[in-house]
């Protein structure tokens, strides 16, 4: 007797909500402050592209090659059947066959249960499962189960993911980082290095597209976050739910024994703002998350703590020595600082600040109270001054230089 069962995993396709953002810009002629001895250089031609043609070629889909391993020739229980499914899933095998020996009275439910058990063992694998087709032949006490399973990734791409993840985690110091710092590290990395887009070589729903191409949609964001957070020792769940645009995916993370929601996709502004990170959906509880997200509550642990609610007011954050310097979205984007250890929250100046970075004793920012000019201020709030009288954005520091974008291109000066 031949039966056919087809399982479908719906690929989540999303359009992330766009954040409205606009401020008045004032254009004035370029002017140097000689008393500060600052020399602005054109840096456009010195920027090296990070796109690798070799990496792009590697991302083209290839058949998964799996090394032979010890698998029983037959399975006798639902748990053993789940073991077999998990083995093939975790090696990204597309076509495989399993021989089951035992009562086949309820064979259909037995297979469904085994697949569910296998998929739930690893949310990273679960999130990459796509369409599935199962055919089986059976007698009273045995069955041959033939499976065709497709994925949003493959073995070659997962090798890339593993190498990239190892490289990212090598820049962290988990032995000295708090749970909060680990989650912020992952959130910031993904937001700063990813553009929300379906235009990728690998599936935009995969972690590979996000980590290797810097592109992806919510599913890819959440799956990469899951892998990075687990690599840092943070217990993490992959959550599937709904938002007003349709299906959506994010994470639940355990910080100091409490569960919180983390939506890296909705922390990433669109259109993309390069190094800008939002924290509106960072370590949220269920009550706050339910304002615009829905999910099956019984499928996931409860998140009740309100400890990190203050993070929602933070934009353009720069963190150093346990202090975050940020643009306060609740206070007209004025420059604030908050001490993560004491909770002390202070206004640093009356200036509206964006694209905040720091070096040494100084905080640098685009001063939207003064034409979006490049400005700096000491970390104690003293000696604020304008350095460059032209609209600037996308500030970042690299190799002892402060880089920033202007209408005339990328500029820099030595710190």
């Amino acid at each position: 007797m031949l039966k056919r069962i087809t399982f479908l995993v719906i690929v989540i396709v999303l359009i992330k909500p766009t954040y409205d953002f606009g401020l008045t810009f004032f254009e004035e002629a370029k002017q140097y402050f000689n008393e500060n001895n600052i020399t602005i250089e054109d840096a456009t031609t010195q920027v090296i592209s990070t796109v690798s043609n070799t990496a792009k070629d590697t991302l083209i889909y290839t058949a998964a090659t799996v090394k032979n391993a010890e698998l029983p020739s037959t399975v006798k229980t639902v748990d053993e059947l789940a073991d077999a499914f998990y083995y093939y899933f975790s090696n990204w095998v597309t076509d495989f066959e399993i021989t089951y020996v035992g009562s086949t009275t309820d064979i259909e439910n037995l297979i469904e249960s085994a697949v569910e058990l296998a998929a739930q063992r690893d949310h990273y694998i679960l999130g990459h499962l796509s369409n599935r087709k199962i055919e089986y032949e059976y007698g009273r006490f045995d069955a041959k189960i033939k499976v065709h399973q497709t994925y949003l990734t493959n073995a070659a791409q997962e090798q890339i993911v593993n190498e990239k993840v190892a490289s990212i985690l090598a820049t962290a110091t988990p032995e000295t980082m708090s749970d909060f710092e680990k989650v912020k590290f992952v959130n910031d990395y993904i937001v700063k290095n990813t553009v929300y887009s379906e235009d990728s070589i690998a599936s935009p729903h995969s972690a590979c597209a996000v980590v290797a191409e810097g592109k992806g949609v919510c599913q890819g964001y959440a799956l990469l976050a899951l892998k990075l957070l687990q690599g840092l020792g943070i217990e993490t769940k992959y959550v599937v739910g709904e938002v007003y645009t349709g299906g959506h995916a994010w994470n639940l993370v355990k910080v100091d024994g409490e569960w919180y929601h983390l939506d890296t996709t909705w922390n990433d502004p669109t259109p993309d703002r390069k190094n800008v990170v939002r924290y509106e959906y960072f370590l949220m509880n269920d009550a706050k998350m339910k304002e615009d997200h829905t999910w099956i509550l019984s499928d996931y642990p409860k998140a009740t703590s309100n400890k990190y609610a203050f993070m929602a007011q933070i934009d353009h954050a720069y963190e150093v020595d346990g202090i975050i310097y940020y643009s306060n979205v609740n206070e007209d984007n004025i420059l604030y600082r908050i001490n993560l250890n004491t909770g002390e929250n202070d206004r640093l100046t009356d200036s509206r600040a964006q694209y905040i970075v720091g070096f040494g004793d100084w905080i640098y920012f685009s001063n939207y109270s003064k034409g979006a000019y490049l400005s700096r201020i000491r970390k104690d709030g003293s000696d604020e001054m304008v350095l460059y009288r032209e609209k600037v954005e996308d500030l970042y520091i690299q190799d002892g230089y402060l880089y920033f974008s202007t209408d005339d291109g990328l500029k820099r000066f030595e710190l």
Side-chain angles (χ1 to χ4, degrees), residues 296-323:
I296 300 175
L297 294 173
S298 59
D299 286 352
Y300 304 97
K302 293 181 179 179
T304 58
S305 173
N306 201 40
K307 181 177 180 179
Y308 297 105
F310 68 87
M311 291 296 293
Q313 70 186 336
I314 292 176
D315 199 5
H316 295 269
Y318 167 70
E319 180 187 3
V320 62
D321 298 330
I323 297 176

Side-chain angles (χ1 to χ4, degrees), residues 100-119:
Y100 169 78
V101 176
S103 173
T104 59
T105 303
D106 197 20
I107 186 66
E108 186 171 326
N109 286 332
L110 184 144
I111 293 173
E112 290 181 358
S113 296
V115 168
E116 178 68 13
L117 286 171

Side-chain angles (χ1 to χ4, degrees), residues 36 53 94 106 133 156 160 162 166 168 212 264 296 369 372 398:
N36 291 299
N53 289 330
T94 303
D106 197 20
K133 179 181 179 181
I160 295 172
N162 290 336
I168 295 166
T264 52
I296 300 175
S369 294
Q398 182 174 306

Side-chain angles (χ1 to χ4, degrees), residues 187-335:
N187 179 78
D188 291 3
Y189 178 86
I190 292 176
V191 171
K192 289 180 180 180
N193 291 279
T194 311
V195 175
Y196 187 90
S197 172
E198 297 183 55
D199 183 20
S200 57
I201 299 169
S203 168
H205 306 277
S206 70
C208 187
V210 177
V211 76
E213 301 178 65
K215 299 177 182 178
V217 296
C218 66
Q219 195 168 350
Y221 278 68
L223 289 169
L224 178 59
L226 175 75
K227 197 169 186 73
L228 287 169
L229 287 163
Q230 288 178 336
L232 290 172
I234 297 295
E235 189 174 351
T236 311
K237 305 288 185 182
Y238 172 71
V239 183
V240 176
E242 298 280 336
V243 292
Y244 71 90
T245 54
H248 191 52
W250 65 94
N251 300 101
L252 273 162
V253 298
K254 184 179 279 189
V255 174
D256 297 328
E258 296 279 355
W259 285 101
Y260 300 89
H261 293 271
L262 172 69
D263 192 337
T264 52
T265 312
W266 279 25
N267 283 333
D268 191 3
T270 54
D272 189 67
R273 289 157 63 190
K274 295 184 179 178
N275 288 321
V276 176
V277 182
R278 297 294 299 270
Y279 297 94
E280 190 174 356
Y281 295 87
F282 183 87
L283 301 185
M284 297 175 65
N285 61 22
D286 287 343
K288 189 66 177 176
M289 199 71 171
K290 284 192 290 187
E291 291 180 3
D292 45 27
H293 291 59
T294 60
W295 64 99
I296 300 175
L297 294 173
S298 59
D299 286 352
Y300 304 97
K302 293 181 179 179
T304 58
S305 173
N306 201 40
K307 181 177 180 179
Y308 297 105
F310 68 87
M311 291 296 293
Q313 70 186 336
I314 292 176
D315 199 5
H316 295 269
Y318 167 70
E319 180 187 3
V320 62
D321 298 330
I323 297 176
I324 298 178
Y325 300 85
Y326 69 97
S327 177
N328 191 326
V329 297
N330 295 334
E331 295 287 342
D332 198 26
N333 296 107
I334 288 173
L335 181 59

Side-chain angles (χ1 to χ4, degrees), residues 1-3 104-105 107 136-144:
M1 182 181 294
L2 176 66
K3 289 188 178 180
T104 59
T105 303
I107 186 66
Y136 53 90
E137 297 177 323
Y138 67 97
R140 290 179 62 190
F141 298 107
D142 67 303
K144 285 188 176 181

